Amino acid sequence: MKSPICDMLGIDFPLLAFSHCRDVVAAVSRAGGFGVFGATAHTPDTLEQELKWIDAHVDGKPYGIDVLIPENISTAGEKNVTWKSLEARVSQEHRDFTRNLLKKYDIELTSRNVADNQPQPFDAETALQLLEVSFRHPIRLIANALGVPPKAMIEMGRKQGVPVAALVGSKEHALRQVAAGVDILVAQGTEAGGHCGEVSTMVLVPEVIKAVRKIRDVPVLAAGGIMTGSQMAACMAMGAAGAWTGSVWLATVESETSEIFREKMIAASSRDAIRSKGRTGKPARQLRSVWTDAWDRSPDSPGALPMPLQSIISRDAFNAIDRAAAAGNEKARDLVTYFVGQGVGLIDSVKSAGAVVQEFKEDFVEAVEHMNALVAE
């Protein structure tokens, strides 16, 4: 494979797999793809532990890390914002709405104590500390979502000789990222799980490629709803240098997701993956549930708070929901949800991550051979 991504990352097959689970990251890299570890929820200490584990289990194969440093957040410009200081900003109306919702499903909402100095979610300074930890390990990529990476992140990547990737949901986003100096663009269509825009992958990928080509040569990875090698081949036929995937790994045996959520994924159709602000305060695609309906459709809903305040609400709520569901509360299952893309409709079973990589390769080759046969005719 002659994709520039293969040369940049030291891989043979340009399939990148984003996951919050270290087991998925290691398994994908061992199988010939490129695992990208989602580090946002970690502290420097816990990230050090996770990366040590990956180093020991990746068989010397390359991998990368992903952080989340939003450009647009309600606390932008504020210094020393802590989790506890944010909790004081959450209205009683929002607290009561959450508590009453869970009570209908026999779930008691309890708050988890946090240290007085624990930084707010998505804290930029913490993210940079995570990068410093990461560079003590043989990472081959750093990536950021929700805006242009801070200048310090790009400079760290250049100093270490590690490419910097950024996710974009529009042509305008891509142009800003290229101007800022990123090395790789991930053109993520609205089909994607998690935070996403409104433009489809099929439209976004060629639009971004065409726009940035006029400025400089930046490899573009296609993302959003890609669950098969044939989809990957189709995107590369449009000019993409490879694929960035996420949701497909949630249905693997190594994934961090619960058995209950995996069952719901297998039963879901593509229309069940909806965009909602109910979990983070920004539109994020996730599996429709009682939770999303309550925040998005209920006439009693106070409306989602802006990021990161909505995350303060949802963290304790989902800890309680997942505990209750795991303990056998059948009613709690209706509230269980997680970030997942529209490609969920293509999931019909749970497999190992290595098997998924192999299927991608075989499906990709078959698609390319099919196209070659059509051209030959």
Side-chain angles (χ1 to χ4, degrees):
M1 176 94 40
K2 296 181 180 180
S3 168
I5 290 295
C6 293
D7 293 335
M8 293 176 76
L9 303 182
I11 55 179
D12 297 322
F13 188 60
L15 173 66
L16 280 74
F18 168 83
S19 176
H20 292 106
C21 179
R22 66 186 188 182
D23 301 79
V24 171
V25 171
V28 169
S29 288
R30 286 198 308 268
F34 186 89
V36 182
F37 185 64
T40 298
H42 287 277
T43 67
D45 288 341
T46 61
L47 180 61
E48 174 67 24
Q49 296 171 15
E50 297 293 277
L51 296 186
K52 279 185 177 179
W53 187 94
I54 293 174
D55 291 343
H57 292 82
V58 80
D59 292 349
K61 301 293 186 179
Y63 69 93
I65 72 144
D66 178 284
V67 294
L68 190 62
I69 309 177
E71 263 191 296
N72 298 312
I73 192 169
S74 64
T75 53
E78 298 184 39
K79 300 293 185 182
N80 302 317
V81 180
T82 65
W83 191 287
K84 286 204 169 184
S85 69
L86 287 180
E87 287 182 332
R89 304 184 193 184
V90 177
S91 73
Q92 192 60 45
E93 179 185 17
H94 285 81
R95 294 185 184 279
D96 291 343
F97 179 78
T98 305
R99 190 176 301 278
N100 292 336
L101 172 62
L102 268 61
K103 188 176 181 180
K104 292 178 184 177
Y105 292 83
D106 299 333
I107 301 171
E108 181 181 357
L109 180 62
T110 57
S111 297
R112 186 174 68 185
N113 290 328
V114 296
D116 290 340
N117 62 346
Q118 180 174 323
Q120 66 167 319
F122 319 117
D123 178 65
E125 290 302 317
T126 300
L128 293 176
Q129 292 173 16
L130 296 177
L131 290 175
E132 291 175 357
V133 170
S134 301
F135 283 125
R136 298 202 290 263
H137 299 264
I139 61 169
R140 295 292 296 271
L141 175 77
I142 56 176
N144 181 58
L146 291 183
V148 176
K151 184 178 179 181
M153 178 175 176
I154 295 176
E155 290 176 347
M156 291 171 76
R158 286 178 178 166
K159 181 179 179 180
Q160 299 290 336
V162 173
V164 179
L167 277 69
V168 300
S170 72
K171 176 184 73 174
E172 293 75 19
H173 293 164
L175 293 174
R176 291 185 62 232
Q177 298 281 11
V178 171
V182 301
D183 304 297
I184 299 169
L185 290 174
V186 180
Q188 179 180 269
T190 191
E191 299 93 326
H195 297 107
C196 60
E198 299 175 292
V199 183
S200 74
T201 304
M202 181 65 74
V203 173
L204 180 65
V205 171
E207 185 178 26
V208 167
I209 291 171
K210 181 180 179 181
V212 302
R213 184 183 293 146
K214 301 173 184 178
I215 304 173
R216 61 183 172 91
D217 188 18
V218 180
V220 176
L221 295 170
I226 300 174
M227 313 292 281
T228 68
S230 60
Q231 289 174 293
M232 177 179 173
C235 289
M236 294 184 71
M238 293 191 294
W244 175 285
T245 56
S247 297
V248 68
W249 311 106
L250 298 176
T252 60
V253 294
E254 296 92 345
S255 171
E256 77 277 13
T257 54
S258 67
E259 183 177 347
I260 293 171
F261 182 73
R262 292 176 197 165
E263 291 173 359
K264 296 183 78 168
M265 287 178 69
I266 292 171
S269 73
S270 58
R271 297 181 68 180
D272 293 319
I274 61 161
R275 294 171 80 232
S276 171
K277 293 183 179 180
R279 187 134 185 176
T280 69
K282 285 183 178 291
R285 195 171 295 284
Q286 56 207 272
L287 201 62
R288 182 180 175 184
S289 71
V290 168
W291 176 271
T292 59
D293 282 353
W295 284 99
D296 299 338
R297 304 181 179 211
S298 170
D300 300 325
S301 172
L305 291 167
M307 178 183 272
L309 298 180
Q310 189 67 16
S311 296
I312 299 292
I313 292 174
S314 63
R315 182 204 64 168
D316 287 339
F318 278 100
N319 282 339
I321 290 166
D322 292 340
R323 284 198 307 270
N329 180 341
E330 289 297 318
K331 294 172 69 174
R333 294 173 66 98
D334 293 339
L335 283 157
V336 171
T337 184
Y338 197 63
F339 305 111
V340 71
Q342 290 180 320
V344 68
L346 293 171
I347 293 174
D348 57 11
S349 62
V350 176
K351 306 168 184 175
S352 71
V356 173
V357 174
Q358 186 60 34
E359 286 186 4
F360 257 86
K361 291 179 179 179
E362 294 172 356
D363 200 27
F364 180 90
V365 170
E366 183 179 343
V368 171
E369 290 177 345
H370 176 68
M371 290 299 299
N372 288 338
L374 290 176
V375 172
E377 293 178 358

